[in-house]
Amino acid sequence: KEVGSTAVVIDETLSVMRLRPGLYAETMQRMRRGRKVQILGVAEADGVRYFKVAAPPVGFGWVQADAVFGKFRPDDEARLANLVQASSGFDRIELAASFLELYPASRLRPPILLLFGDLVEEMAAKLSRDASNRLKRAEMAATAAPVHSYYLNFVSLDRYRKLGIRFLFNSSYRTFHYDGETWKELVEKFSTAAETAEAKKRLDTLRSKLERRRASN
């Protein structure tokens, strides 16, 4: 049933594309997370299940079946959710984003939505510190460009933008904050989920931060 299905590369540790199935087969490339492939065939080698995949522009190759996820295997939702929980740092955010994109109707979506927002807000604090340390105030003052524009063009935000993550900026304290999109989705679409009450608390806290910013200005 896998043949003809579309899959997405998620586990980069296992995503080596080879000329033939087998852990000792010649390597073609390591595919990056988020790459879509079409499954053309299935084989077993060295105790591992392999998919033959079409992956333009490279062409055809074999990749370990565990490296890809999709809707064609019923256990992939739980497998990816477990991988999200087991990961850390930016990888965890990226994996959670992949889950939310792949499984919009999953029963596991509410906890991932809450976790995703918490992870991004936690990372926003680190980004705020990094930006304050790396952006030079004398240089910003010399150009006369708005200070907030320097922060919102900060290079470390680029990889978050690629995931569709949007940060709000507190001009008074020069801090980033997650805009709360996944928390809002929880409140709007999953009113009976156990995580929804926590999402409401997160949004209330976010609004409070923004109100303090407006008052101080």
Side-chain angles (χ1 to χ4, degrees), residues 16-214:
V16 176
M17 189 176 182
R18 301 178 185 274
L19 282 175
R20 62 185 185 277
L23 295 174
Y24 302 98
E26 185 178 346
T27 298
M28 299 169 69
Q29 64 169 213
R30 184 179 296 277
M31 294 187 288
R32 299 296 300 273
R33 181 176 296 147
R35 186 166 184 177
K36 293 183 180 180
V37 297
Q38 185 178 18
I39 299 170
L40 305 177
V42 183
E44 301 276 346
D46 299 324
V48 174
R49 186 175 176 82
Y50 279 88
F51 288 149
K52 183 179 183 180
V53 297
V58 175
F60 308 102
W62 293 85
V63 66
Q64 188 168 335
D66 305 289
V68 302
F69 290 72
K71 297 178 181 178
F72 56 90
R73 286 183 298 199
D75 63 337
D76 271 9
E77 285 184 34
R79 195 164 67 95
L80 183 49
N82 289 337
L83 186 57
V84 171
Q85 296 295 345
S87 57
S88 61
F90 182 76
D91 274 349
R92 199 176 190 191
I93 293 175
E94 197 170 41
L95 288 167
S98 296
F99 181 95
L100 295 175
E101 182 178 355
L102 267 173
Y103 306 113
S106 172
R107 61 181 177 79
L108 301 173
R109 191 173 182 85
I112 299 295
L113 285 169
L114 183 66
L115 175 64
F116 184 85
D118 290 349
L119 291 172
V120 177
E121 179 63 11
E122 180 181 327
M123 196 60 70
K126 181 180 183 302
L127 288 168
S128 301
R129 294 191 296 271
D130 289 348
S132 294
N133 290 333
R134 292 172 60 184
L135 292 173
K136 308 252 188 295
R137 295 196 178 190
E139 292 178 5
M140 290 190 289
T143 66
V147 171
H148 69 274
S149 69
Y150 277 97
Y151 277 83
L152 290 170
N153 281 296
F154 184 49
V155 65
S156 295
L157 298 181
D158 290 351
R159 61 179 181 172
Y160 295 91
R161 291 193 186 97
K162 290 178 182 178
L163 296 179
I165 297 171
R166 181 171 173 263
F167 288 100
L168 305 175
F169 182 66
N170 183 319
S171 295
S172 299
Y173 299 100
R174 297 187 179 183
T175 53
F176 297 110
H177 296 284
Y178 175 49
D179 72 349
E181 281 303 307
T182 56
W183 298 331
K184 292 173 188 175
E185 181 180 336
L186 255 175
V187 172
E188 293 169 2
K189 298 182 180 180
F190 300 93
S191 59
T192 61
E195 295 80 8
T196 301
E198 290 300 318
K200 289 178 179 177
K201 292 178 183 177
R202 309 293 200 276
L203 290 171
D204 287 342
T205 300
L206 179 60
R207 279 191 290 268
S208 176
K209 291 175 181 177
L210 295 178
E211 286 167 3
R212 288 198 297 270
R213 176 181 64 81
R214 286 194 291 266

